[in-house]
Amino acid sequence: MHKIVLLSCAFIFTACSTGSSQSPLSFKTELPKQLREISGISSVGGSIWAITDKPQAAVYKLDVK
């Protein structure tokens, strides 16, 4: 059992670490105040959809350009 846990931790550590310090992600813009606490996000086709539940449930389509 301990060997499986140790092997799993080693695999996760190796998979999460990268050789470069540069991230392939880049900052594009800040999200509006209404989207501070996104409960879910999904990509459908070329659109990104986000759902919030505080203070009131709402669904937003995000512009990716």
Side-chain angles (χ1 to χ4, degrees):
M1 177 69 174
H2 292 292
K3 289 181 182 179
I4 293 173
V5 172
L6 184 59
L7 184 60
S8 298
C9 289
F11 175 74
I12 291 170
F13 177 74
T14 305
C16 292
S17 65
T18 62
S20 70
S21 61
Q22 184 98 14
S23 173
L25 300 176
S26 61
F27 179 80
K28 294 293 183 183
T29 188
E30 288 188 33
L31 293 175
K33 243 173 130 173
Q34 297 90 334
L35 297 177
R36 277 193 186 157
E37 293 189 33
I38 296 175
S39 300
I41 192 165
S42 181
S43 173
V44 179
S47 301
I48 296 177
W49 295 85
I51 186 169
T52 62
D53 57 1
K54 292 179 182 177
Q56 197 171 10
V59 177
Y60 296 89
K61 180 180 178 187
L62 305 177
D63 184 9
V64 294
K65 293 183 181 186

